[in-house]
Amino acid sequence: MSELKSLVEEARQAFAQAATPVELEDAKAVFVGKSGRITALMKGLAGLSVDEKKAQGAAINEVKREVEALLQAARQALADAALAKQLAAEALDVTLPGRQRSSGGLHPVSLTLERIEGIFGSMGFEVADGPEIETDWFNFTALNTPEDHPARSMHDTFYVEGGQASAPNLLRTHTSPMQIRHAVQHVKRHRAALDAGEGMPEIRVIAPGRTYRVDSDATHSPMFHQCEGLWIGENVSFKDLKYVFTAFCKTFFEDDELVLRFRPSFFPFTEPSAEIDIQFSSGPLAGRWLEVAGSGQVHPNVVRNMGLDPERFIGFAFGMGPDRLTMLRYDIGDLRLFFDGDLRFLRQFA
Ligand code: PHE
């Protein structure tokens, strides 16, 4: 009988020591398996009297139940421990702040370029794009600015390898070369009709992009933006320039009372030429004349370089600074903010 008592205790210890389900099942086999100790005890009943069998058999059955209960409890304990371990490993701290992906936004100057394209697009202007590395011909000579012209000194820029030794390639100092590039393409497409004495669709284009000059302070940057405008036809006059540019400024600045002033000026590629100043009707800059563009009637030599007869074709051009337009629209005092990449500044426009 004492073996039966210690058997339960041994099973308890063996089950407690099993660290895995496999070890536990091995331990089980020692006690209740086919060749386990309890089975052996059962077999030993065979040689006993009927009364002894009854008493002994009942005691063995009782021990068997206890051992099986212990086994069940040990299985449960292992399963509970495994689940607890898994839960700990996969723990999720729902109080942690979420990982946000911040949304991007357009740079204020890009917003201005989009605005410019939208407004001129609504007036029938197409948008052209051209190279930032230019030849001397397109940047200067074709624009009636020959090599010794004093106006070149205002356009000091960065010269790059390539081109001719006497006239190296350069980073374009303005978007005006696009006047020639675009017009030449346009004229080429309509050459046959022109030669036959027929007309051609008017050239009406804007060309926004990056430009370069050796200049750097709060209102000048070595890289800056310009947007060229060109309208050439058989009957395009200064009053069309005035109408188009006034409509543009009123829409761009959302100021219907805004006024324009055309101040006589000089550019080699326009004649007559004018600087365009605007005056806001309200806001912090109201009452001041602010220069926003250069403009003029396209010079006959330039019209000729476009491949057109200046006796027949006439028009105007203008060049404005999107950086400056952006500064005026948002009342920004320092141009360098645009190129610092400081998110505290840029986020205000997103
Ligand atoms: N290209 C001139 C500049 O950069 C501006 C301009 C463009 C003037 C077109 C007249 C006509 O200053």
Side-chain angles (χ1 to χ4, degrees), residues 116-144:
I116 292 172
E117 290 173 17
I119 296 167
F120 278 102
S122 76
M123 293 193 277
F125 282 75
E126 44 179 324
V127 179
D129 202 10
E132 289 169 33
I133 295 176
E134 257 310 357
T135 62
D136 184 272
W137 166 258
F138 284 114
N139 197 80
F140 291 123
T141 312
L143 291 165
N144 201 34

Side-chain angles (χ1 to χ4, degrees), residues 155 173-174 176 179 213 226 228 267 269-270 294-296 317-319:
H155 285 227
T173 59
H174 51 177
S176 298
Q179 289 186 33
R213 286 187 208 178
Q226 276 199 349
E228 198 75 9
F267 299 101
F269 33 91
T270 46
S295 69
F318 58 82

